[in-house]
Amino acid sequence: QGFPAIDFVTINTQTPALPKPEARQALAMAIDRKRLVEQSMGGIGRPGKGPWGDGFPWMLTDAADFDKLYPRDVEKAKALLDKAGVTAGADGSRGKLRLVYDAARPQFVSGGQIIKENLKDIGFDVELQPLERAVMIDKVFANRDYDLTLQSYVSSGDPAIGYHRLYLTNTTKTQFLNASGWGSEQVDGLLNKAAVTPDRDARGKLYQEAAVILAQQLPSIVLFDEEGMDIATKKLNNLWTVRDSRDGWENAWLTK
């Protein structure tokens, strides 16, 4: 079992259809998190439990539980979009959304197709944009030229190290920080306090309070927690050619 790690979809809150939390809540209610785990991860993962995933159980609160807040419900998702003013035309269409992701990540390739199908159910035409990693990074973090993007973060053993960057207010073009365009002074304060609070129970309460806000605002939607698996074989060659081996599978080969 490795460090807790989450895969998520970040939402560009400057996209005309998605500035209101109700519209983002509709996406959470339309995306089939269980199907993503079953089909894009081969069952090796756990559907998103909330804004922090479930890798740190002491951060969890029922008040921010995605299973309770956003079970898959197409009709309720449509009603939320109507409430947000994102209405459907005569043909049922609510417009186009661009989904940007790293083309080298198999779970993003298959997951993107599932999300495309899910969001079609509520009227969105999703344009899949698989890109070479460097191009993706520039498009998402430097230019904010996207509507939705698939990403993954690892915690490195502590949520302050790996997960704060997903939600802290960020106005820079720095890679792998919050690229949603959303920010909250209240959430920033809670996370900054949690980072220096030594008592875990006290920290947990701070994270739980932040989770309730994040679960309502949804600048990002945690899709699933990754499961760690260790497999060894002398037949696998040339795996460690890049910093993150998941981006270099095309370089690896098996000895027969």
Side-chain angles (χ1 to χ4, degrees), residues 149-170:
T149 181
L150 288 169
Q151 302 289 331
S152 65
Y153 286 171
V154 65
S155 72
S156 298
D158 188 281
I161 297 173
Y163 288 174
H164 283 202
R165 56 190 168 135
L166 179 55
Y167 297 117
L168 286 172
T169 301
N170 171 42

Side-chain angles (χ1 to χ4, degrees), residues 96-142:
K96 179 178 288 187
L97 296 174
R98 299 162 298 161
L99 176 58
V100 175
Y101 54 88
D102 181 349
R105 295 283 180 90
Q107 75 267 36
F108 290 171
V109 175
S110 56
Q113 184 61 50
I114 292 170
I115 291 171
K116 177 183 176 72
E117 294 174 11
N118 289 163
L119 298 189
K120 183 179 180 180
D121 290 342
I122 60 172
F124 285 114
D125 175 18
V126 176
E127 178 187 334
L128 300 178
Q129 294 189 355
L131 301 172
E132 189 273 332
R133 185 170 178 79
V135 177
M136 178 279 293
I137 290 171
D138 189 61
K139 195 173 186 69
V140 171
F141 297 98

Side-chain angles (χ1 to χ4, degrees), residues 48-83:
K49 190 70 175 173
W52 306 118
D54 67 4
F56 298 98
W58 49 273
M59 298 172 69
L60 299 179
T61 173
D62 286 346
D65 188 323
F66 284 175
D67 286 341
K68 296 179 179 180
L69 295 174
Y70 306 117
R72 188 159 200 272
D73 191 319
V74 170
E75 294 308 313
K76 285 187 178 180
K78 290 179 179 178
L80 282 169
L81 288 170
D82 291 341
K83 182 179 179 181

Side-chain angles (χ1 to χ4, degrees), residues 154-215:
V154 65
S155 72
S156 298
D158 188 281
I161 297 173
Y163 288 174
H164 283 202
R165 56 190 168 135
L166 179 55
Y167 297 117
L168 286 172
T169 301
N170 171 42
T171 59
T172 74
K173 296 182 178 180
T174 305
Q175 297 176 11
F176 308 121
L177 298 183
N178 174 10
S180 71
W182 177 91
S184 163
E185 290 184 4
Q186 185 177 3
V187 169
D188 291 349
L190 289 166
L191 298 190
N192 289 332
K193 186 176 180 179
V196 296
T197 297
D199 180 75
R200 196 177 76 172
D201 289 340
R203 287 187 83 194
K205 291 178 180 178
L206 294 168
Y207 283 122
Q208 290 163 11
E209 187 177 345
V212 171
I213 299 169
L214 294 168

